Amino acid sequence: MIIMSVDVGTVRTGLAVCDKNEGFAFPRGVITERDREKLIEKLCQKAKEFEAEMLIVGYPKNMDGSEGFKAEECAEVAEKLRESTGLQVQLWDERCTTVSAHTALNYSDVRGKKRKNIVDAVAAVIILEDFLNFRRING
């Protein structure tokens, strides 16, 4: 199944997609959009373009497990995507994924403007890889 993951940001939203066998996750770019309604439209277009069969939306819980403003915002985006696409949409705990993305980019020596442009897509890959590993382990 082709699954698209979304790392919703205030300005930049990262995208990643896995192959049909759910073996690998690939970064698929970043959408730069502040307007939520326009973002939803662009995400729906990307889901169609990538032939996504399921969507995973990063759910940024606080470190203590509580849900803050950003988590509520992501839940709203997920619900609007579900309504607009008719696809199964699942929230996925994304605590520390941006930190992990920055660490990965440090190891590959990606800096400056290039880093700013891809860190959200790398975070989306990490979210998707985590979800895929969970599916493999839990069937």
Side-chain angles (χ1 to χ4, degrees):
M1 172 185 302
I2 296 174
I3 303 170
M4 181 175 92
S5 67
V6 180
D7 179 38
V8 179
T10 305
V11 177
R12 285 177 300 282
T13 296
L15 303 175
V17 176
C18 71
D19 63 297
K20 277 196 175 285
N21 296 325
E22 300 180 17
F24 299 97
F26 306 95
R28 292 306 304 257
V30 174
I31 296 173
T32 303
E33 183 61 68
R34 289 182 184 270
D35 182 281
R36 285 289 167 223
E37 288 186 32
K38 289 180 183 176
L39 175 64
I40 298 298
E41 289 174 20
K42 290 177 180 181
L43 289 171
C44 290
Q45 290 170 352
K46 289 295 185 180
K48 188 174 184 176
E49 177 185 329
F50 300 148
E51 300 177 354
E53 300 166 78
M54 180 180 190
L55 303 175
I56 303 300
V57 176
Y59 194 53
K61 291 183 178 180
N62 295 322
M63 292 308 288
D64 65 2
S66 64
E67 298 169 6
F69 171 76
K70 191 68 178 168
E72 291 173 13
E73 189 176 281
C74 290
E76 289 174 17
V77 168
E79 185 55 35
K80 288 180 182 179
L81 285 172
R82 185 178 295 110
E83 292 169 1
S84 298
T85 64
L87 296 173
Q88 179 183 353
V89 180
Q90 187 168 336
L91 292 169
W92 194 254
D93 187 352
E94 67 160 66
R95 282 179 276 191
C96 300
T97 55
T98 301
V99 172
S100 296
H102 280 287
T103 301
L105 293 172
N106 284 343
Y107 282 113
S108 54
D109 201 30
V110 177
R111 306 262 185 245
K113 188 173 183 178
K114 185 175 182 183
R115 179 190 196 106
K116 185 177 180 181
N117 290 334
I118 65 168
V119 70
D120 298 298
V122 173
V125 167
I126 293 168
I127 291 166
L128 186 52
E129 286 176 340
D130 188 39
F131 177 77
L132 293 174
N133 287 334
F134 176 84
R135 278 173 66 101
R136 276 186 214 106
I137 292 167
N138 295 297

